[in-house]
Amino acid sequence: MNEKNRQKGRPKDPLKERAILQAARKLFLEKGLEVTTEEIARVAGVAKATLYANFADKDILIEAVLRQESDLTISDEDFSKRHNHSLTDTLTAFGNRFVRFINQRELTGWDRLIASAAIRHPDLPRRFYVAGPGRAQQMLESIIAEAVDEGVLISCNPREAADDLAGLWLGMTSLEIKLGARKTLSDEEIKHRVSHALGVFMRFYSVK
């Protein structure tokens, strides 16, 4: 019986699971996806069998790390609470999380990692998009589609509208930050950027 099968019946420990995800994220960014599960387990301070009890294989662990990154933008729990707030409040909260996430310099590290790993893992860029930015895109499209159905926004293509809003939030500033041509945005700059972009978006898309 191998290690994976022996661990099947054991309940997961959330603290150990979190430690594994943090260690994997750190090592993936530092060393790339070729880092071994043995090293991840060592840095996490857990047995390799414990790692496999939480993540059946390395691919599942990679997906979990990408999903964790996506949750920095908006989590499923956050998304489920959107009906308790107005459209403006929902989009403002989404935008603040989204711009703050994109504002991270670590995203450059993810870009390098994905580009280099894609040579040996051609499906990785798509998987990264689906698990991360793609989820946020779908959530934003759903928010907009619901607002259209409720008569708050004009009839439109939700995907195009979501692209418009994301573009307004990011602009060329995100490229400047990614290239290191300017400092990351302060909290006040993020709030202003989100508010200004949302105002422009609503002037075009809101029902007059």
Side-chain angles (χ1 to χ4, degrees):
M1 184 182 295
N2 63 31
E3 281 185 324
K4 295 181 190 179
N5 290 332
R6 281 202 306 269
Q7 298 301 318
K8 259 184 182 176
R10 293 190 181 181
K12 293 181 180 180
D13 182 336
L15 293 179
K16 289 181 179 179
E17 183 178 17
R18 191 176 307 121
I20 294 167
L21 285 170
Q22 290 174 345
R25 181 185 189 278
K26 176 178 182 292
L27 290 171
F28 287 154
L29 284 171
E30 288 179 356
K31 300 186 176 184
L33 297 182
E34 302 311 311
V35 66
T36 65
T37 52
E38 288 87 348
E39 188 169 4
I40 293 171
R42 180 180 59 76
V43 172
V46 303
K48 186 178 176 183
T50 301
L51 184 150
Y52 282 123
N54 285 272
F55 306 98
D57 57 43
K58 190 173 169 183
D59 280 348
I60 290 175
L61 178 55
I62 292 170
E63 296 285 358
V65 171
L66 297 179
R67 179 66 176 252
Q68 180 178 251
E69 290 299 297
S70 173
D71 284 346
L72 293 175
T73 307
I74 185 170
S75 67
D76 291 337
E77 182 181 1
D78 295 327
F79 186 61
S80 68
K81 295 176 180 176
R82 67 194 183 283
H83 298 298
N84 300 326
H85 305 284
S86 69
L87 175 63
T88 299
D89 287 346
T90 297
L91 289 177
T92 297
F94 187 105
N96 282 329
R97 292 276 293 273
F98 179 68
V99 176
R100 187 168 285 109
F101 174 69
I102 298 299
N103 194 44
Q104 298 178 90
R105 284 209 183 279
E106 277 189 335
L107 284 187
T108 302
W110 282 110
D111 285 347
R112 286 197 300 267
L113 173 63
I114 297 300
S116 61
I119 297 172
R120 295 185 61 180
H121 305 274
D123 64 325
L124 188 62
R126 180 64 185 169
R127 286 167 56 198
F128 180 85
Y129 179 79
V130 169
R135 277 183 65 234
Q137 171 86 8
Q138 289 179 345
M139 290 178 179
L140 186 55
E141 287 177 27
S142 295
I143 292 170
I144 291 172
E146 288 169 3
V148 171
D149 290 341
E150 292 166 2
V152 179
L153 297 180
I154 62 174
S155 178
C156 63
N157 181 318
R159 184 175 183 82
E160 289 181 355
D163 282 345
D164 287 343
L165 183 52
L168 288 168
W169 277 333
L170 299 180
M172 292 297 291
T173 301
S174 63
L175 181 58
E176 284 185 281
I177 293 169
K178 179 186 273 190
L179 295 175
R182 65 165 291 166
K183 294 180 179 178
T184 55
L185 301 174
S186 67
D187 286 344
E188 285 305 310
E189 286 173 325
I190 290 173
K191 289 177 182 177
H192 172 75
R193 187 171 193 85
V194 169
S195 176
H196 174 74
L198 187 54
V200 174
F201 176 84
M202 293 300 288
R203 280 196 290 275
F204 181 83
Y205 280 101
S206 63
V207 173
K208 304 297 187 288

